[in-house]
Amino acid sequence: MTTECREPLDLIRLSIDERIYVKCKGDRELRGKLHAYDQHLNMVLADVEETVTKQDTDEETQEAIIRTAKRSHEMLFVRGDVVILVSPPLRTT
């Protein structure tokens, strides 16, 4: 397998079996090990930590109330049309 990036999906290909960060629509963030993907960015992730952020407004004070909830998933299928950003692991070489 080559480590060269000629196309955008090559960066995803190089991240197979590594932990990645995925930002999704609906203020959801995922961190997990990438097992598979396709040209639509449908992905299969393992050992996933999902963080959901919700923002409400206090009706009395009009202050923003930000809540986060975290869940863990053993295996997760992510549909590509909800993906906003994919960040591969930091490479130092």
Side-chain angles (χ1 to χ4, degrees):
M1 180 188 292
T2 178
T3 59
E4 191 174 316
C5 284
R6 292 183 181 212
E7 298 178 13
L9 287 180
D10 288 344
L11 192 61
I12 307 299
R13 178 182 50 81
L14 293 173
S15 299
I16 290 286
D17 292 328
E18 295 192 48
R19 290 191 64 80
I20 62 170
Y21 168 80
V22 181
K23 183 163 179 60
C24 300
K25 293 179 184 176
D27 292 323
R28 293 183 184 279
E29 298 176 355
L30 306 169
R31 285 180 173 78
K33 186 175 181 182
L34 179 64
H35 277 272
Y37 72 97
D38 66 12
Q39 71 273 15
H40 304 289
L41 279 184
N42 294 320
M43 292 182 266
V44 176
L45 301 174
D47 301 322
V48 182
E49 180 183 286
E50 175 186 25
T51 304
V52 180
T53 304
K54 297 208 180 230
Q55 182 173 337
D56 295 322
T57 304
D58 186 315
E59 292 180 17
E60 292 178 13
T61 63
Q62 298 303 314
E63 291 181 8
I65 301 169
I66 298 173
R67 296 186 177 110
T68 59
K70 293 191 178 199
R71 296 190 299 181
S72 294
H73 306 278
E74 209 172 293
M75 191 71 70
L76 191 67
F77 174 83
V78 181
R79 187 176 161 119
D81 65 351
V82 302
V83 174
I84 296 172
L85 175 138
V86 177
S87 178
L90 180 62
R91 299 194 196 314
T92 57
T93 57

